[in-house]
């Protein structure tokens, strides 16, 4: 029976491995297709971008009408919002405000933030071009929408501009005057270099009460960036007490049979909005109104370059402000802080209204923050993220060393008393209560805690999940290289084998194999405390069970786990080399039963 169960288990393991690899390869293939599509879409959008002089300033247009500009084309199709396909607008003027880390490009159409150039973030690996946020967009960030119209369809007048600020004026439907002022900071620490301070003033131009209702302010568009977009591309907001998130996958529908969700074209909620965010894997926009908003409207955004298997979809959202009723000639002013930059916890945590929760570090987020701070500190010392992860691993495992050594000694003792434990089951096969009594007495006499062996593993579970959530979206690790690894935030693919049976194009990730060897060696050389042969075999096969999952993890996380395995192997060696030997003390009743059994065997032999 045991052999049969082993064969069944191994067969299921092989089948599961093939399926996991197949899914992993499909995900990687999808990611490559999406990256190619993103490049094509970016090139197409770049062709319609305004011409710039050598110093980065826009070429002056020949005309700059105040009103009557054409509306953006293809805003909605098939229920989903669309990016601005035809981005050419008559008389568009681009005002550029910049500091050492970012360049903010404002458009006079709606007087809004067209896009954000992150000077220190490359567009792709080994690229000299910077990453541009909101380059592919549903609308300019901070675009204003009212029932009187969409501000981005109107060319505003530039009232004033300097190196650090710009002010626009426009009129909606001859009824509402809109004045918008933007300021940036030259400070390069904290969130300052990526933050725009915005002041919005609206004034009633009519000769009667003007009920504006709820104004909508767009917080940007998160463009798809890879195969994990369904999990890492989200809209989030805080009402001051709770934080809620909507993933891009929530709009797509799907799920397991019986639990399937229908796709939806938008999500509209009325709630207090202290801050709201849109993010993908590494970059985030955060809108913090001076006065809390009244709700939001989030929606998926279809992008060009979709593959046949799955549409290429991003996400955008508008924050709704409290309804406004303006008397004749009256005006009201609203203020906002708008962060648009990398998901660097050290910067975002200084925004001081809980915006760091937008990082989505998971249930063990407090551990993620501590580990991230330590990793950043180590990187500041050694200058390499791979070495920083190795040192972080040594610090974590070193802090758990006393508990781990105690556990290993306990497991060694458990392996020593495995034979007496078998004898207990043999001598009292039908008396479960007697078995339990004998085993507890055996543990007590030999000072063995059967739970101690699990304690270090239980303590490492929250650390593992904290690292999993932290490393997969830490902007610090984007394009960070180490040895043969080109990007610690992704699997370390060193080659691709085309057209493999059942697997298709197989990506060869080297580090997971190193992890597999280290964990297998660790498990096979570890003392086996269990007397259950099936459990013992399961422990031996555990590395192969986890391998398919590990194969698609970020290489930074696999590096941590591999170094941790090597550390454990070193601990096992120390325990075996310097471990104290002891003689097993048997309970009197068990000793008597075992001696009696031996005497009976001797008598049978003499006969």
């Amino acid at each position: 029976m045991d052999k049969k169960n082993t064969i069944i288990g191994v067969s299921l393991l092989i089948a599961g491995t093939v399926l996991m690899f197949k899914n992993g390869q499909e995900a990687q293939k999808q990611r490559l297709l999406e990256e190619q599509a993103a490049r094509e879409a970016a090139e197409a959008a770049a062709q319609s971008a305004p011409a710039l002089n050598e110093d980065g300033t826009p070429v002056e247009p020949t005309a700059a009408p105040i009103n009557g500009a054409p509306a953006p084309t293809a805003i909605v199709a098939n229920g989903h919002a669309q990016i601005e396909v035809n981005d050419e607008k008559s008389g568009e003027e681009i005002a550029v405000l910049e500091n050492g880390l970012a360049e903010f490009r404002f458009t006079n159409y709606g007087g809004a933030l067209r896009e954000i150039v992150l000077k220190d973030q490359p567009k792709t690996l080994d690229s000299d071009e910077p990453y541009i946020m909101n380059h592919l967009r549903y609308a300019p960030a901070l675009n204003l929408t009212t029932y009187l119209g969409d501000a981005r369809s109107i060319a505003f007048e530039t009232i004033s501009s300097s190196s650090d600020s710009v002010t626009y004026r426009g009129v909606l439907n001859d009824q509402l005057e809109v004045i918008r002022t933007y300021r940036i900071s030259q400070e390069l620490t904290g969130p300052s270099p990526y933050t725009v301070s915005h002041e919005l003033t609206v004034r009633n131009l009519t000769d009667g009460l003007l009920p504006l209702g709820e104004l909508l302010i767009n917080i940007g568009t998160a463009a798809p960036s890879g195969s994990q977009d369904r999990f890492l591309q989200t809209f989030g907001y805080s009402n001051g007490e709770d934080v809620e998130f909507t993933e891009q996958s929530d709009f797509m529908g799907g799920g397991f049979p019986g639990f399937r969700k229908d796709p939806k074209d938008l999500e509209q909620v009325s709630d207090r909005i202290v801050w709201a965010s849109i993010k993908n894997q590494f970059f985030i926009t955060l809108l913090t109104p001076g006065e809390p908003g009244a709700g939001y409207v989030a929606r998926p955004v279809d992008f060009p370059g979709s593959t046949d298997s799955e549409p290429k979809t991003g996400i955008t959202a508008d924050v709704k402000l409290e309804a406004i009723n303006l008397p004749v000639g009256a005006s009201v002013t609203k203020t906002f802080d708008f962060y648009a930059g990398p998901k660097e916890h050290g910067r975002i945590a200084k925004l001081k209204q809980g915006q760091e929760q937008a990082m989505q570090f998971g249930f063990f987020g407090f551990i993620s923050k501590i580990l991230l701070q330590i990793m950043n500190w180590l990187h500041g010392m050694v200058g390499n993220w791979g070495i920083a992860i190795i040192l972080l691993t040594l610090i974590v495992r070193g802090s758990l060393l006393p508990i781990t050594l105690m556990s290993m000694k306990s497991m060694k003792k458990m392996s020593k008393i495995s034979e007496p434990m078998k004898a207990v089951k043999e001598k009292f096969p039908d008396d479960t209560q007697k078995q339990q009594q004998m085993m507890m007495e055996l543990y007590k006499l030999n000072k063995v805690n059967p739970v101690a062996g699990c304690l270090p593993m239980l303590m490492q579970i929250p650390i593992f999940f904290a690292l999993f959530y932290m490393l997969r979206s830490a902007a610090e690790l984007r394009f960070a290289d180490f040895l043969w690894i080109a990007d610690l935030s992704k699997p370390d693919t060193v080659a691709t084998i085309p057209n493999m049976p059942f697997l298709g194009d197989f990506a060869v990730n080297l580090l997971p194999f190193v992890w597999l060897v280290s964990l297998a060696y660790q498990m096979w050389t570890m003392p086996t405390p269990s007397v259950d042969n099936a459990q013992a075999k399961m422990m031996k096969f555990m590395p192969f069970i986890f391998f398919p999952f590990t194969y698609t993890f970020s290489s930074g996380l696999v590096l941590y786990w591999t170094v941790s395995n090597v550390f454990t192997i070193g601990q096992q060696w120390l325990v075996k080399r310097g471990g104290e030997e002891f003689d097993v003390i048997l309970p009197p009743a068990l000793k008597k039963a075992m001696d009696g059994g031996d005497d009976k065997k001797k008598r049978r032999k003499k006969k």
Side-chain angles (χ1 to χ4, degrees), residues 226-256:
S227 59
Q228 298 189 64
D229 281 333
R230 281 182 172 242
F231 310 101
L232 300 178
Q233 194 168 265
T234 64
F235 163 79
Y237 80 97
S238 169
N239 60 14
E241 297 180 358
D242 300 316
V243 178
E244 301 289 341
F245 292 97
T246 300
E247 295 179 355
Q248 178 255 333
S249 59
D250 293 337
F251 294 103
M252 301 296 102
F256 296 103

Side-chain angles (χ1 to χ4, degrees), residues 54-87:
E54 293 182 357
D55 60 357
T57 59
V59 175
E60 291 294 332
T62 56
I66 298 299
N67 291 299
T73 61
I75 299 303
V76 175
N78 299 323
H80 285 189
Q82 302 287 298
I83 67 167
E84 295 181 334
V85 178
N86 181 11
D87 209 13

Side-chain angles (χ1 to χ4, degrees), residues 271-572:
D271 197 359
R272 188 170 182 264
I273 307 294
V274 174
W275 56 259
S277 67
I278 288 286
K279 66 179 177 65
N280 57 23
Q281 186 172 5
F282 299 112
F283 303 100
I284 187 171
T285 65
L286 277 157
L287 180 69
T288 308
E291 300 175 4
Y296 70 85
V297 180
R299 55 175 64 88
V301 182
D302 285 342
F303 285 82
S306 299
T307 63
D308 294 334
S309 59
E310 187 174 354
K312 189 172 173 58
T313 305
I315 190 171
T316 188
D318 295 275
V319 169
K320 297 190 290 186
L321 306 183
E322 291 284 355
I324 299 173
N325 294 317
L326 287 178
V328 178
S331 64
V332 64
T333 298
K334 302 288 185 179
T335 60
F336 309 86
D337 284 332
F338 183 69
Y339 177 94
K343 286 163 55 179
E344 295 178 357
H345 178 265
R347 296 184 186 273
I348 295 174
K350 294 180 180 179
L351 292 173
K352 306 220 181 267
Q353 293 197 50
Q355 289 92 332
E356 62 185 285
Q357 296 175 79
M359 300 283 289
Q360 281 187 280
F361 280 151
F363 183 78
F364 300 106
F366 68 100
I367 301 177
S368 297
K369 297 170 189 175
I370 295 172
L371 296 176
L372 182 57
Q373 290 174 357
I374 296 174
M375 188 177 73
N376 285 332
W377 175 72
L378 291 169
H379 176 262
M381 294 179 59
V382 300
N384 182 277
W385 288 109
I387 297 176
I389 291 174
I390 292 174
L391 294 177
L392 175 65
T393 310
L394 297 179
I395 290 174
V396 171
R397 294 306 310 273
S399 64
L400 298 175
L401 184 59
I403 298 175
T404 306
L405 289 177
M406 178 189 70
S407 168
M408 287 184 170
K409 290 177 181 178
S410 178
M411 291 175 68
K412 187 175 181 180
K413 288 183 178 182
M414 284 287 292
S415 65
K416 283 277 189 179
I417 65 174
S418 59
E419 288 301 322
M421 289 172 69
K422 288 181 181 178
V424 169
K425 291 187 176 183
E426 291 174 358
K427 299 302 179 182
F428 311 100
D430 301 323
D431 193 342
T432 305
Q433 185 176 358
K434 190 69 173 178
Q435 288 183 21
Q436 294 293 330
Q437 181 184 347
M438 286 291 179
M439 287 186 180
M440 293 304 296
E441 193 172 350
L442 191 63
Y443 293 149
K444 185 176 181 181
L445 288 173
N446 292 279
K447 298 179 180 180
V448 174
N449 184 356
V451 183
C454 303
L455 187 59
M457 184 176 295
L458 291 175
M459 293 185 66
Q460 288 192 63
I461 288 175
I463 295 175
F464 174 81
F465 280 105
L467 281 167
F468 174 78
Y469 283 106
M470 183 266 284
L471 293 178
R472 72 173 183 170
S473 60
E476 293 89 342
L477 295 184
R478 182 174 182 257
F479 302 147
D481 62 328
F482 177 66
L483 299 178
W484 70 88
I485 304 171
D487 188 345
L488 284 166
S489 68
K490 295 180 179 179
D492 64 321
T493 303
V494 294
T496 301
I497 304 175
N499 302 322
M500 284 193 67
F502 305 108
L503 298 177
D505 293 339
F506 178 76
V508 180
N509 303 332
L510 181 58
L511 192 56
F513 288 101
V514 179
W515 168 86
L516 177 63
V517 171
S518 66
L519 184 59
Y521 182 82
Q522 172 194 329
M523 300 303 294
W524 292 343
T525 56
M526 181 182 295
T528 305
S530 175
V531 297
D532 189 330
N533 192 39
Q535 289 184 17
K537 288 187 176 182
M538 181 60 69
M539 294 292 289
K540 304 297 184 184
F541 283 115
M542 188 179 295
F544 301 95
I545 295 173
F546 283 111
F547 180 63
F549 300 93
T550 308
Y551 199 78
T552 56
F553 282 172
S554 68
S555 52
L557 183 62
V558 181
L559 177 62
Y560 166 84
W561 209 349
T562 303
V563 176
S564 181
N565 292 341
V566 175
F567 191 92
T568 302
I569 292 171
Q571 287 178 331
Q572 290 176 188

Side-chain angles (χ1 to χ4, degrees), residues 53-343:
N53 296 314
E54 293 182 357
D55 60 357
T57 59
V59 175
E60 291 294 332
T62 56
I66 298 299
N67 291 299
T73 61
I75 299 303
V76 175
N78 299 323
H80 285 189
Q82 302 287 298
I83 67 167
E84 295 181 334
V85 178
N86 181 11
D87 209 13
E88 296 180 0
K89 299 183 178 70
S90 174
E92 183 175 24
E93 299 175 353
I94 304 297
V96 177
L97 306 182
E98 62 179 315
N99 53 40
L101 292 179
E103 179 182 299
F104 302 90
R105 296 174 179 173
F106 296 88
T107 173
N108 63 320
Y109 274 84
L113 181 54
R114 192 176 196 270
E115 56 195 16
I116 306 97
V117 180
L118 306 182
K119 297 180 179 180
D120 62 336
Q121 299 287 335
K123 180 180 177 181
T124 58
L125 185 64
D126 300 325
S127 172
D128 294 330
E129 297 181 49
Y131 184 86
I132 303 178
M133 297 184 66
N134 215 51
H135 187 55
L136 299 175
R137 57 188 170 273
Y138 162 71
L142 302 175
N143 180 63
L144 172 67
T145 305
T146 75
Y147 85 93
L148 294 173
D150 191 332
R152 60 177 158 164
S153 65
I154 299 173
F156 281 34
E157 174 188 6
T158 303
I159 296 177
S160 65
S161 64
S162 66
S163 59
D164 295 335
S165 68
V166 62
T167 301
Y168 295 101
R169 176 189 178 276
V171 176
L172 301 185
N173 202 32
D174 296 326
Q175 299 179 64
L176 184 70
E177 179 187 58
V178 180
I179 297 178
R180 317 193 72 178
T181 299
Y182 301 91
R183 296 181 179 87
I184 67 166
S185 173
Q186 296 300 322
E187 176 65 46
L188 300 184
T189 59
S192 298
Y194 301 110
T195 301
V196 176
S197 297
H198 174 41
E199 185 178 280
L200 168 67
T201 300
V202 292
R203 184 167 68 93
N204 181 3
L205 298 180
T206 70
D207 55 2
L209 180 69
L210 184 61
L212 286 179
E214 295 174 329
L215 306 182
L216 274 68
I217 303 291
N218 186 264
I219 61 174
T221 304
S225 59
S227 59
Q228 298 189 64
D229 281 333
R230 281 182 172 242
F231 310 101
L232 300 178
Q233 194 168 265
T234 64
F235 163 79
Y237 80 97
S238 169
N239 60 14
E241 297 180 358
D242 300 316
V243 178
E244 301 289 341
F245 292 97
T246 300
E247 295 179 355
Q248 178 255 333
S249 59
D250 293 337
F251 294 103
M252 301 296 102
F256 296 103
F259 299 93
R260 290 189 176 276
K261 297 180 180 179
D262 294 329
K264 53 185 178 180
D265 300 326
L266 60 85
E267 180 176 83
Q268 187 167 199
V269 172
S270 294
D271 197 359
R272 188 170 182 264
I273 307 294
V274 174
W275 56 259
S277 67
I278 288 286
K279 66 179 177 65
N280 57 23
Q281 186 172 5
F282 299 112
F283 303 100
I284 187 171
T285 65
L286 277 157
L287 180 69
T288 308
E291 300 175 4
Y296 70 85
V297 180
R299 55 175 64 88
V301 182
D302 285 342
F303 285 82
S306 299
T307 63
D308 294 334
S309 59
E310 187 174 354
K312 189 172 173 58
T313 305
I315 190 171
T316 188
D318 295 275
V319 169
K320 297 190 290 186
L321 306 183
E322 291 284 355
I324 299 173
N325 294 317
L326 287 178
V328 178
S331 64
V332 64
T333 298
K334 302 288 185 179
T335 60
F336 309 86
D337 284 332
F338 183 69
Y339 177 94
K343 286 163 55 179

Side-chain angles (χ1 to χ4, degrees), residues 32-43:
L32 294 174
L33 290 172
E34 288 176 344
E35 289 177 352
Q36 180 181 358
R39 287 193 296 269
E40 294 172 356
E43 291 171 359

